[in-house]
Amino acid sequence: IPSSSSSSVSPSVSAAASPSRSQVLVVLDFDGTLAHTDATGIPNVTSYFQEPSSLENVTPIQRVLNILKAYHEMGADVCILTGRLSHLEPAIKAVVERWLGYPIRVLCSNGRESTVSFKRRTFGSLVMFSPKTELVVHFEDDVTVLRDCNAISNSLNSSSRTVRYVGVKVGPDSRLDLYEGVHRPVSIALVQPPSSGKTKIFQKVKELIEKNIGRTVTIISTENALKELRAARKVEGGGDVPSTEIFAKVQSE
């Protein structure tokens, strides 16, 4: 990785979120990304994850842990960025350091904002005020966080500095998928006539793809075309919509 020119570090950055001194910064979520956490049968999961007892039986996701150790050996700066509250920081730090065998930085939420907002803001500070960092490798199980942090990383690129962002989506089965920063949109075309029920079914598919993969999905169907054409005809004075016009709209889309 080519070296970058250094610049001054803002004094507003807290000691916890101090600048990275490495050209490579590895950021990881904790629950579901680095650690297996089981909340089966827990009625209030949110409250449970803020209790120290929730850390008693956590186990590492070995694939991620091995990658983390490799990055550390290569001299990367590693940081845990979790939505758990700050009073658990020492306990999380102790657990992770026991797994890794070396000290690690842990950044926890203050509880005054949503987890996504906290991660987005803290990630931005980490990268913005780490002038030596040129590559960020980000492990997360929430594609929304990956998408937002990718956008933040891209916004920091300029003629004097380039930050490459590599997002890694950790799945529930510990599957690792590279998050693509720029997605081509996905289109689902349905040829069934209106009221077939397929549009409603594929609306759920659309929501799953957008949530778990981060791609924008457009459903092209006769039912949606009919709704749009009827809405337009209300403005133009109403009237029936010929089937030829419906299918022509679907074909053009």
Side-chain angles (χ1 to χ4, degrees), residues 178-194:
L178 283 177
Y179 172 80
E180 300 175 43
V182 179
H183 287 320
R184 290 174 295 177
V186 175
S187 296
I188 300 177
L190 307 176
V191 297
Q192 284 80 6

Side-chain angles (χ1 to χ4, degrees), residues 92-107:
I92 295 173
K93 186 176 174 67
V95 168
V96 177
E97 289 180 356
R98 185 174 70 248
W99 294 341
L100 293 173
Y102 59 82
I104 192 169
R105 184 163 38 152
V106 176
L107 302 177

